[in-house]
Amino acid sequence: MIIVNCDNCLGLMIGNSRLHWALFTGATLEAAWDTDHLPALVVEQLIQSWQAGEWKTELFPDTQINAIQIPNSTPIPLYVASVVPVQTQLWQTYPYINVITLDQLPLHGLYPTLGIDRALAVLGAGENLGFPVLVIDGGTALTFTGVDAQKRLVGGAILPGLRLQIQSLTDRTAALPKIELYSEMPPRWALNTVEAIQSGVSYTVLAGVKDFIESWWQEFPESKIAITGGDRTLLLVYLQAKFPNIAAKVIADPHLIFWGMQSLTINN
Ligand SMILES: Nc1ncnc2c1ncn2[C@@H]1O[C@H](COP(=O)(O)OP(=O)(O)O)[C@@H](O)[C@H]1O
Ligand SMILES: CC(C)(COP(=O)(O)O)[C@@H](O)C(=O)NCCC(=O)O
Ligand SMILES: [K+]
C-alpha cells in the first residue's frame, strides 16, 4: 500500500469523459472540481508551473480552486488515478507524479483489469460508510462495484452510461436526433421520438439499478449503498420518483474516489 504524504497536493482522476480534480491539504479535501480532458500544451504549462511550486489556478477558470488562497512553495505532488492510458501518458513527464495502482489499495480479490476508479470509489465508500458496501458510478460507463465486510471484491457490472446510451442511438441510426435527458422521469408510453428515447433509456436503466440493488441487499441486507459520478443526481431523482423507499437508503456522494485517495494519506 502507498502512503500519500502531502501538505498541499493534487489528486487527479482521469475518467473517460472528464478530469476530476482534488486539492488535499494533509488528509483534508479542500476543493474538488471537474474539467474537460486538457490539450497537451496546457498539460505542459501546468507541469512546468507545478515543478516551480506555482499553482497556475488561472488555468482552471470558474472552478472551486480559484476561491482558495494557496501559497506557492515547493513542487506540487500529483496523485493520478486513470482509466484512460493515453491521458495518463500526458502527465508522465512530471517528476512529482505518483500513479495509483490496484496493488496499492487495501482491498482483496481485485482482478487485474478492474478500473482503478471503481476500486478507489468502493474503498472510499467503505472507509466512510463501512463495509460491506455497493457503489453505483454513473459515469461514461455505469458501473456497480461491491465489496464485502472483509474488504474483498464480491464483483460488479458495467453498462453504457446515460449519455453514452443516448449518444450511441444518435450516432448509429439515421432518424434519431441528439437529445438530453430531463431531470424528471418522462412518461413511460411516449408518443414522440424524443420522449421515446428518454423513456427507453431512463426506465430500463432504472429497472436495472433497482434490480442490482435488491440483489445486493439479498446477500448483504445491512449494506450501505452509495452513488457517485456525473449522473448520480439524475439517477437518484429517477429512483426517488419510482422507488422512493430504495432511494431513501442510497447515499449520493460526488467524492467517493477522493475519499479513497484520502484514506491512503499518512495524516489520516
Ligand atoms: N460537463 C459534462 N461533461 C460530460 N458529462 C457530463 C457533464 N455534466 C454532466 N455529465 C454527465 O456525467 C456523465 C459522465 O460522468 P463523469 O463522472 O464525468 O464521467 P467519467 O468519470 O467517465 O469522466 C455523463 O453521462 C453525463 O450525463
Ligand atoms: C468501466 C470503466 C470504463 C468506467 O470508466 P468511467 O465511466 O468512470 O470513465 C472503467 O472503470 C474501466 O475502464 N474499467 C476496466 C474494466 C473493469 O473495471 O472491469
Ligand atoms: K467514474
Side-chain angles (χ1 to χ4, degrees):
M1 172 174 161
I2 53 162
I3 303 289
V4 175
N5 184 4
C6 89
D7 289 328
N8 285 305
C9 67
L10 283 169
L12 170 59
M13 176 67 230
I14 303 177
N16 282 286
S17 294
R18 296 189 276 180
L19 304 180
H20 310 281
W21 296 90
L23 168 67
F24 293 98
T25 59
T28 307
L29 179 64
E30 293 283 346
W33 66 100
D34 299 323
T35 67
D36 288 339
H37 289 163
L38 299 175
L41 259 168
V42 176
V43 173
E44 267 313 304
Q45 257 181 298
L46 284 169
I47 284 176
Q48 278 181 18
S49 306
W50 293 345
Q51 206 160 341
E54 288 163 22
W55 287 86
K56 274 278 179 222
T57 52
E58 66 270 23
L59 291 180
F60 299 110
D62 307 320
T63 63
Q64 251 193 33
I65 195 177
N66 274 286
I68 296 175
Q69 289 293 329
I70 340 161
N72 292 336
S73 61
T74 49
I76 297 157
L78 174 67
Y79 290 89
V80 176
S82 175
V83 291
V84 189
V86 294
Q87 279 286 318
T88 323
Q89 204 95 58
L90 294 176
W91 302 93
Q92 290 287 9
T93 58
Y94 189 49
Y96 304 95
I97 190 177
N98 297 275
V99 178
I100 300 172
T101 50
L102 291 176
D103 55 299
Q104 296 164 340
L105 306 189
L107 294 172
H108 310 292
L110 305 184
Y111 59 92
T113 60
L114 178 74
I116 188 75
D117 58 336
R118 301 176 61 194
L120 278 169
V122 83
L123 173 65
E127 293 295 340
N128 279 0
L129 305 171
F131 293 95
V133 73
L134 174 69
V135 167
I136 304 166
D137 187 340
T140 311
L142 201 166
T143 60
F144 301 90
T145 311
V147 165
D148 70 14
Q150 284 70 46
K151 304 191 184 184
R152 175 165 291 276
L153 179 69
V154 175
I158 303 171
L159 63 144
L162 293 178
R163 181 172 285 199
L164 190 54
Q165 292 202 20
I166 288 172
Q167 202 182 341
S168 64
L169 283 177
T170 316
D171 290 351
R172 301 300 299 268
T173 61
L176 298 189
K178 186 170 158 40
I179 65 149
E180 298 288 333
L181 285 173
Y182 289 125
S183 54
E184 276 169 45
M185 233 14 216
R188 183 188 288 267
W189 303 110
L191 287 168
N192 63 67
T193 304
V194 170
E195 286 188 358
I197 299 171
Q198 288 169 341
S199 168
V201 171
S202 52
Y203 280 88
T204 57
V205 167
L206 192 58
V209 167
K210 173 178 181 273
D211 189 63
F212 271 93
I213 290 175
E214 285 177 339
S215 174
W216 180 257
W217 272 333
Q218 270 172 20
E219 272 191 68
F220 303 98
E222 303 299 321
S223 173
K224 294 284 193 332
I225 297 189
I227 188 163
T228 194
D231 287 325
R232 69 187 179 283
T233 309
L234 197 55
L235 288 168
L236 200 55
V237 167
Y238 290 173
L239 210 50
Q240 277 155 356
K242 294 292 163 189
F243 309 111
N245 293 340
I246 293 178
K249 294 200 224 158
V250 174
I251 298 153
D253 189 333
H255 302 317
L256 293 182
I257 286 170
F258 295 131
W259 302 140
M261 283 192 191
Q262 180 203 49
S263 75
L264 306 174
T265 56
I266 201 167
N267 328 52
N268 196 39

